[in-house]
């Protein structure tokens, strides 16, 4: 990890450092793909798909808060989601994002990532990755913290791929990772 690539996971860290590092790299790559767009860019669609970068920002923001509250601790997701009428239906995030300003969408995602990072860091100080979390199957078998992080990695992996295609169609931006020294131009994204 260097100042030019603060999103890079450690080369030889612990299991927790590697998983959290990989998650932070995917978060940063996703944010790079969605950065510095106005309403037209955030609402642009590709072909017949209804998927937009604005919808992805809002969906992933909701997932960050949901995973780090309800799934992790069994507490309600809270604000800003409850005051906006979120019911846990994923379609709501995608459909309602078109009515949100770019500033709102970037603030939702940036804030959710900050909160989720803090909650995850706190959880890692009180136990290892094998520690049970609130999420459980119907038979009462609880998932562990490792599973929660892996589920977030999967969520970001899938949607970062979507963001790649959408962003390239909008203005030609491509690339696996942000360029050296990249910083978000919109919102208030904090590097890991």
């Amino acid at each position: 990890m260097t100042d030019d690539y603060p999103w890079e996971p450690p080369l030889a860290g612990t299991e927790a450092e590697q998983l959290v590092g990989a998650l932070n790299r995917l978060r940063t790559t996703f944010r790079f793909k969605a950065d510095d767009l106005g309403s037209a860019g955030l609402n642009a669609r590709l072909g017949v798909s209804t998927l937009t970068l604005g919808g992805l920002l809002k969906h992933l923001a909701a997932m960050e808060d949901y995973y780090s509250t309800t799934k992790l601790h069994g507490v309600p997701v809270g604000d800003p989601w409850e005051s906006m009428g979120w019911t846990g239906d994923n379609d709501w995030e995608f459909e309602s994002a078109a009515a949100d300003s770019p500033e709102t969408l970037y603030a939702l995602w940036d804030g959710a990532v900050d909160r989720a990072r803090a909650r995850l860091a706190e959880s890692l100080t009180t136990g290892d990755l094998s520690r049970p979390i609130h999420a459980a199957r119907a038979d009462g078998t609880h998932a562990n913290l490792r599973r929660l992080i892996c589920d977030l990695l999967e969520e970001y992996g899938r949607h970062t791929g979507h963001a790649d295609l959408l962003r390239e169609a909008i203005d030609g931006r491509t690339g696996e990772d942000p360029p050296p020294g990249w910083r978000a131009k919109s919102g208030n994204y904090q590097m890991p």
Side-chain angles (χ1 to χ4, degrees):
M1 187 179 346
T2 69
D3 289 342
D4 282 344
Y5 302 95
W7 52 83
E8 278 296 312
L11 289 176
T14 65
E15 182 185 14
E17 290 168 339
Q18 293 300 143
L19 288 172
V20 172
L23 177 58
N24 280 325
R25 179 172 52 195
L26 275 170
R27 284 170 170 154
T28 301
T29 301
F30 171 77
R31 188 59 166 76
F32 165 68
K33 298 295 180 175
D35 192 43
D36 199 24
L37 292 170
S39 290
L42 290 173
N43 288 308
R45 295 176 177 184
L46 187 58
V48 297
S49 174
T50 60
L51 195 62
T52 66
L53 284 170
L56 288 171
L57 277 166
K58 194 168 188 176
H59 170 70
L60 287 170
M63 292 303 97
E64 290 275 5
D65 275 329
Y66 177 68
Y67 276 57
S68 66
T69 57
T70 307
K71 282 190 151 194
L72 182 59
H73 298 296
V75 298
V77 70
D79 280 329
W81 307 106
E82 289 177 357
S83 63
M84 292 188 319
W86 184 71
T87 63
D89 174 13
N90 289 342
D91 289 340
W92 175 83
E93 295 119 49
F94 292 112
E95 293 167 3
S96 66
D100 295 322
S101 70
E103 295 79 17
T104 297
L105 292 169
Y106 290 123
L108 281 171
W109 189 86
D110 294 343
V113 168
D114 288 345
R115 289 186 297 275
R117 280 185 181 149
R119 292 170 185 142
L120 182 57
E122 190 273 328
S123 291
L124 286 168
T125 65
T126 61
D128 66 17
L129 293 170
S130 298
R131 148 182 190 239
I133 63 171
H134 176 76
R137 287 193 294 215
D139 69 2
T141 304
H142 285 264
N144 61 27
L145 192 53
R146 181 181 296 104
R147 171 64 187 260
L148 182 96
I149 296 170
C150 287
D151 285 353
L152 271 171
L153 282 165
E154 179 186 356
E155 190 81 18
Y156 269 98
R158 177 174 48 254
H159 293 315
T160 299
H162 295 141
D164 278 337
L165 295 170
L166 287 163
R167 187 59 188 248
E168 185 174 7
I170 292 166
D171 63 6
R173 178 179 280 186
T174 61
E176 182 178 333
D177 291 318
W182 176 82
R183 299 294 182 267
K185 292 182 182 176
S186 50
N188 189 30
Y189 179 61
Q190 302 298 311
M191 287 293 169

